[in-house]
Amino acid sequence: MDYGELLSEAMEAARPVLGRGAPADYIPALACADPADFGMALATVDGEVHGVGEWRKAFSIQSVSKLFALALALSHGGTTLWQRVGREPSGNPFNSLIQLESEHGIPRNPFINAGALVVTDALLSLTGDARGAVVDFLRAESGNMSIDTDHAIAASEAGHGHRNAALAHFMASFGNLHNEVEEVLEHYFAQCSISADCRDLALAGSFLARHGLRADGSRLLGRGDAKRINAVLLTCGTYDAAGEFAYRVGLPGKSGVGGGILAIVPGRGAICAWSPGLDAVGNSVGAMAALEDFTSRSDWSVF
Ligand code: GLN
């Protein structure tokens, strides 16, 4: 299969919508991104990589980090995690407070902000450094030692993070955060503010295509946990547009408000597409279009 050709065609298919939507501006440091920027990369399960457009341009990974935090928490033995966070689609915006009160401080799933805060809290308890665990994993899987938190973006998030602080304090009132709220928020903002490019994320996501095996062949997760994470990505990874994403792209995927979407094709590899222009729900317009085209014309699909 000529992956370079398929990726170029996916970029051409996305071109008419590039520039549509707007970068996230509730985190001021993200607002200056160019909505028309675009990059896409795929990594096969054997580590072969192809890319197109600005695939080597680093961007803020934001909620894509939630996938790695969850995998790492489970790999460190976070067996009680599923008592503290559910695995149902929320049908609400990623930063919504609405279900938490009636559901007693247990977030619907690990990919909305409330659920991700619980996961970061668990990872902090298990490792002592949640942000560091995510950075180390991304560096090891991609071989790119320059991956790090962008501290200006982390500071911008922290300065405007009232909603996340509200979610965290609310869950703490139910006893569903075990560390200090301020420390959990600091790690969460720092984890979301990691900068990495499409190549890095495609390589780092490939463990889910390899059924839990890392790039060096060692096992991060059992097959069962890898399967479960892919399943929850499919149903909950793109917020309240998970149904639309499943319909158009048909893959487990995780989006972030930096404009990245990382999608997994079990047994084949991982694809990361990025463009900062977001739709009303917070998913990248250009990345969705490119992934839809790619999965419609290649045999990289689960359906
Ligand atoms: N850091 C962002 C937030 O907490 C992540 C949201 C996202 O990418 N959907 O709001």
Side-chain angles (χ1 to χ4, degrees):
M1 194 174 301
D2 188 342
Y3 292 125
E5 182 69 26
L6 281 167
L7 288 173
S8 295
E9 286 170 17
M11 181 165 81
E12 286 316 309
R15 199 176 292 284
V17 301
L18 296 183
R20 286 204 198 148
D25 59 4
Y26 75 97
I27 300 170
L30 297 180
C32 53
D34 177 357
D37 244 347
F38 176 86
M40 187 170 182
L42 73 76
T44 69
V45 282
D46 334 293
E48 188 185 321
V49 186
H50 300 266
V52 72
E54 301 274 16
W55 65 298
R56 299 310 312 273
K57 186 168 175 177
F59 58 89
S60 191
I61 72 170
Q62 292 295 319
S63 283
V64 179
S65 67
K66 295 172 181 174
L67 174 173
F68 300 109
L70 175 64
L72 289 165
L74 292 172
S75 81
H76 280 92
T79 45
T80 56
L81 194 59
W82 295 119
Q83 290 156 25
R84 298 173 57 196
V85 60
R87 44 202 185 226
E88 290 295 343
S90 73
N92 279 309
F94 61 82
N95 55 4
S96 173
L97 291 133
I98 211 125
Q99 283 160 340
L100 266 187
E101 179 156 31
S102 56
E103 299 183 0
H104 311 291
I106 308 288
R108 274 286 171 105
N109 69 66
F111 298 137
I112 52 173
N113 286 9
L117 284 160
V118 170
V119 172
T120 296
D121 178 60
L123 190 57
L124 188 56
S125 299
L126 290 160
T127 65
D129 183 2
R131 180 209 81 96
V134 176
V135 168
D136 287 350
F137 182 79
L138 294 179
R139 287 181 179 173
E141 298 306 290
S142 67
N144 179 0
M145 292 303 146
S146 71
I147 291 175
D148 212 341
T149 291
D150 180 324
H151 293 286
I153 294 178
S156 180
E157 282 210 53
H160 296 79
H162 300 302
R163 246 172 201 271
N164 285 316
L167 289 165
H169 279 290
F170 199 60
M171 290 190 292
S173 78
F174 285 98
N176 201 12
L177 286 189
H178 299 169
N179 296 281
E180 290 300 323
V181 166
E182 291 311 321
E183 200 184 357
V184 175
L185 286 169
E186 192 184 316
H187 279 264
Y188 172 79
F189 293 138
Q191 155 203 322
C192 289
S193 300
I194 292 170
S195 286
D197 64 30
C198 292
R199 171 196 168 276
D200 300 329
L201 291 179
L203 283 167
S206 294
F207 74 98
L208 283 175
R210 287 189 293 261
H211 310 291
L213 291 182
R214 296 184 63 156
D216 65 2
S218 64
R219 187 163 282 289
L220 180 74
L221 295 172
R223 282 186 84 96
D225 271 337
K227 182 196 78 172
R228 291 178 197 114
I229 293 181
N230 279 324
V232 181
L233 282 171
L234 183 69
T235 52
C236 310
T238 41
Y239 327 128
D240 41 337
E244 181 71 6
F245 188 80
Y247 176 82
R248 288 179 54 189
V249 177
L251 292 177
K254 185 73 210 81
S255 55
V257 293
I261 304 182
L262 175 58
I264 312 298
V265 190
R268 305 299 297 270
I271 318 167
C272 180
W274 163 70
S275 183
L278 306 181
D279 62 19
V281 171
N283 291 318
S284 167
V285 177
M288 282 267 268
L291 287 166
E292 180 177 16
D293 180 82
F294 187 88
T295 54
S296 303
R297 281 184 309 96
S298 69
D299 62 355
W300 277 43
S301 173
V302 293
F303 298 116

